């Protein structure tokens, strides 16, 4: 029997143990142990964005704890007198605990939009209070049940007002329960990802939301380090709460509780104080792997501002968020085809070209395109291709999309998690345009994707190059820049634009209509147009820059790298993704069917 129990516990704790162990691994990949190091902790603690998210988490958790514990205590007191209706109240109390978090998150976003509340710190606190009151009430009530009501009555018989009796007699007796509730609520709030990701908007990035966005831009062991700290801290808080509920003395529970909070607060001691002029901010919503932190820091320093960065991996995700209407972004980076949609819906702010003196650096071939004549709304940022990167030693030479349908590569194939790109690959095999709106062709493409699905290891649009580097897959569909970086780390990897042709994208910076900081947004766009900055952005991210002055500054090796700047005949094979109008609904439905079947 103990052996079975041990196995169950191993099953429960193995992932956590691996996480903790690898936070001390000096290698980058989780596939091999390369020696002990604390470097990832140092890197995590030195990360300003991480510290900012920690500050947000702590502020939210403290506010949530104060509000929820107060309301929970009051509710527990009230419920003592519920009498016959008690069962009903109990059910209502359990409901928020049982409702799936995604449902809660989605419904809160609707509610906030309906009452006109902007997403931000306040909505996060409201949401956290919403889901934690029940927990607080249940914990305090358990303690209240063991109280002798005669004590409170005696106090009132001796002349104390009900309020006085509560504070002088009842509350001290309840204190361990109230503290346990507070610790539990604090831990729940610090930990929450799902609900928070719905209601955070910009500038309210909590630690879990930040960790998730770190995962998107590549798995760094620094994430393991942060996660280990978060794990340790919440475990201590929950242990303290549990000990109090078991009747441990306050002093015994205090030590783990204080330690738990100290672990979260420690990075502040290490921090150099909040970033400069925190009230001047720019909210940037851009593709993952499109700008390096060091480049943002240059802008922050030059303008004494803070840049809030949010990332997305598909145009559709970005559109959905912007169209929902209650987010405060200053900068977006859509591809050409969603720009048409955004312009048509009146969601973009006309640019003041006089505030963009460095626009002259852009190669005229990328300007005045049909999707935005005269560049009234958009300035090109990156262009590039989608293609296949593969491990030469495993699959030999590849020149066709057919490799992604080859049963010999079962379980070793990764495809982008992007309707236009996956359908695009299938359509190219069919010899069709990837901008087709023909339902019959799209149905054929869907059948192909369904046939391919058993071979596919993952649909991933964020850190697909890491999955290839780790050796988990041998062939990956993806966008060129991240593959150009991967090839540098591992020369066994090659990138090809298949002979059937592929997709071409042109992504631009735009300012949404309701941008709270339009002037700063113009300054940012112009900053990215400066030759040195555009060259730095291209050299760090490895997507292709439309900035002619920047290209001249690039090292020859980068300019000659075909994964970054493909030769003209290869570009000629590729087709620019364009707006498919109403058919976007069809693409979306067919793609959802592929993924859910
Ligand atoms: C970067 C994705 C490239 C953008 N993560 C494709 N439009």
């Amino acid at each position: 029997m103990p052996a079975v129990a041990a196995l169950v516990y191993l099953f429960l704790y193995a992932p956590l143990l691996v996480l903790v162990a690898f936070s001390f691994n000096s290698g980058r990949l989780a596939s091999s142990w390369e020696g002990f190091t604390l470097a990832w902790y140092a890197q995590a603690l030195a990360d300003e964005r991480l510290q900012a998210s920690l500050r947000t988490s702590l502020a939210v958790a403290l506010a949530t704890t104060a509000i929820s514990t107060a309301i929970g205590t009051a509710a527990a007191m009230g419920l003592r007198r519920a009498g016959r209706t008690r069962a009903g109240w109990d059910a209502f109390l359990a409901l928020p605990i049982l409702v799936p978090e995604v449902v809660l998150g989605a419904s809160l976003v609707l509610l906030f939009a309906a009452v006109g509340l902007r997403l931000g710190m306040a909505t996060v606190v409201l949401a956290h209070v919403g889901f934690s009151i029940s927990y607080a009430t249940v914990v305090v009530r358990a303690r209240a049940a063991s109280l002798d009501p005669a004590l409170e009555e005696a106090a009132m018989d001796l002349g104390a007002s009900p309020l006085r009796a509560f504070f002088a007699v009842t509350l001290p007796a309840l204190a361990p329960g109230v503290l346990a509730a507070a610790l539990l609520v604090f831990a729940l709030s610090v930990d929450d990802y799902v609900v928070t990701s719905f209601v955070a908007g910009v500038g309210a990035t909590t630690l879990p939301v930040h960790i998730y966005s770190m995962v998107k831009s590549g798995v760094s062991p620094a994430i393991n380090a942060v996660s280990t700290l978060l794990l340790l801290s919440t475990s201590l808080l929950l242990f303290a709460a549990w000990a109090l509920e078991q009747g441990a003395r306050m002093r015994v529970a205090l030590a783990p509780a204080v330690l738990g909070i100290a672990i979260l607060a420690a990075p502040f001691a290490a921090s150099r104080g909040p970033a400069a002029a925190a009230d001047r901010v720019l909210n940037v919503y851009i593709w993952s792997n499109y700008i390096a932190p060091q480049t943002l820091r240059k802008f922050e320093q030059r303008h004494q501002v803070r840049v809030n960065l949010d990332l997305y991996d598909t145009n559709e995700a970005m559109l959905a968020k912007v169209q929902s209407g209650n987010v405060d972004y200053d900068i977006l980076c859509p591809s050409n085809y969603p720009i048409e949609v955004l312009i048509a819906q009146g969601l973009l702010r006309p640019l003041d070209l006089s505030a963009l003196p460095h626009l002259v650096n852009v190669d005229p071939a990328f300007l005045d395109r049909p999707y935005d004549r005269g560049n009234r709304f958009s300035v090109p940022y990156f262009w590039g291709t989608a293609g296949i990167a593969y491990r030469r030693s495993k699959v030999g030479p590849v020149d066709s999309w057919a490799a992604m349908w080859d049963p010999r590569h079962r379980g070793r194939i990764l495809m982008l998690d992007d309707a236009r790109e996956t359908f695009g690959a299938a359509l190219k095999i069919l010899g069709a345009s990837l901008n087709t709106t023909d339902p019959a062709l799209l149905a054929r493409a869907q059948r192909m994707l369904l046939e391919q699905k058993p071979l596919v290891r993952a649909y991933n649009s964020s850190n697909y190059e890491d999955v290839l580097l780790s050796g988990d897959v041998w062939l990956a569909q993806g966008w060129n820049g991240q593959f150009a970086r991967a090839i540098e780390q591992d020369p066994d990897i090659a990138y090809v634009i298949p002979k059937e042709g592929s997709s071409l994208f042109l992504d631009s910076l735009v300012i949404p209509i309701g941008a709270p900081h339009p002037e700063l947004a113009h300054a940012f766009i112009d900053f990215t147009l400066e030759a040195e900055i555009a060259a730095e952005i291209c050299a760090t991210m490895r997507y292709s820059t439309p900035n002619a002055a920047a290209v001249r500054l690039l090292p020859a090796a980068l300019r000659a790298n075909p994964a970054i700047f493909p030769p003209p005949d290869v570009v000629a094979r590729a087709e620019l993704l364009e707006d498919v109008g109403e058919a976007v609904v069809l693409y979306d439905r067919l793609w959802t069917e592929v993924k859910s079947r």
Side-chain angles (χ1 to χ4, degrees), residues 87-105 107 130-135 138 188 194-195:
W89 290 110
D90 278 354
F92 272 120
L93 210 53
L95 210 54
I97 300 182
L98 298 177
V99 170
E101 281 203 83
V102 260
V103 175
L104 197 60
S107 56
F131 69 65
S132 58
I133 284 180
S134 295
Y135 291 92
V138 170
L188 287 173
V194 179
V195 172

Side-chain angles (χ1 to χ4, degrees), residues 287-290 312-313 315 335 421 461-462 464 479 482 505 507 543:
W287 293 92
S288 63
N289 295 294
Y290 251 27
Y312 56 84
D313 293 309
N315 281 302
S335 298
E421 298 288 5
S461 292
S462 51
Y464 46 85
W479 293 296
Q482 284 152 260
F505 62 81
D507 297 347
Y543 282 98

Side-chain angles (χ1 to χ4, degrees), residues 216 286-290 312-315 333-337 382-386 416 418 421 461-465 478-482 485 504-507 543 577:
K216 267 193 193 176
I286 192 170
W287 293 92
S288 63
N289 295 294
Y290 251 27
Y312 56 84
D313 293 309
T314 63
N315 281 302
C333 184
S335 298
N336 49 304
Y337 59 99
F382 267 149
W383 67 279
T385 52
L416 284 171
D418 183 303
E421 298 288 5
S461 292
S462 51
N463 61 340
Y464 46 85
E465 78 284 17
W479 293 296
N480 61 322
Q482 284 152 260
R485 284 156 69 188
L504 201 63
F505 62 81
L506 177 54
D507 297 347
Y543 282 98
L577 282 164

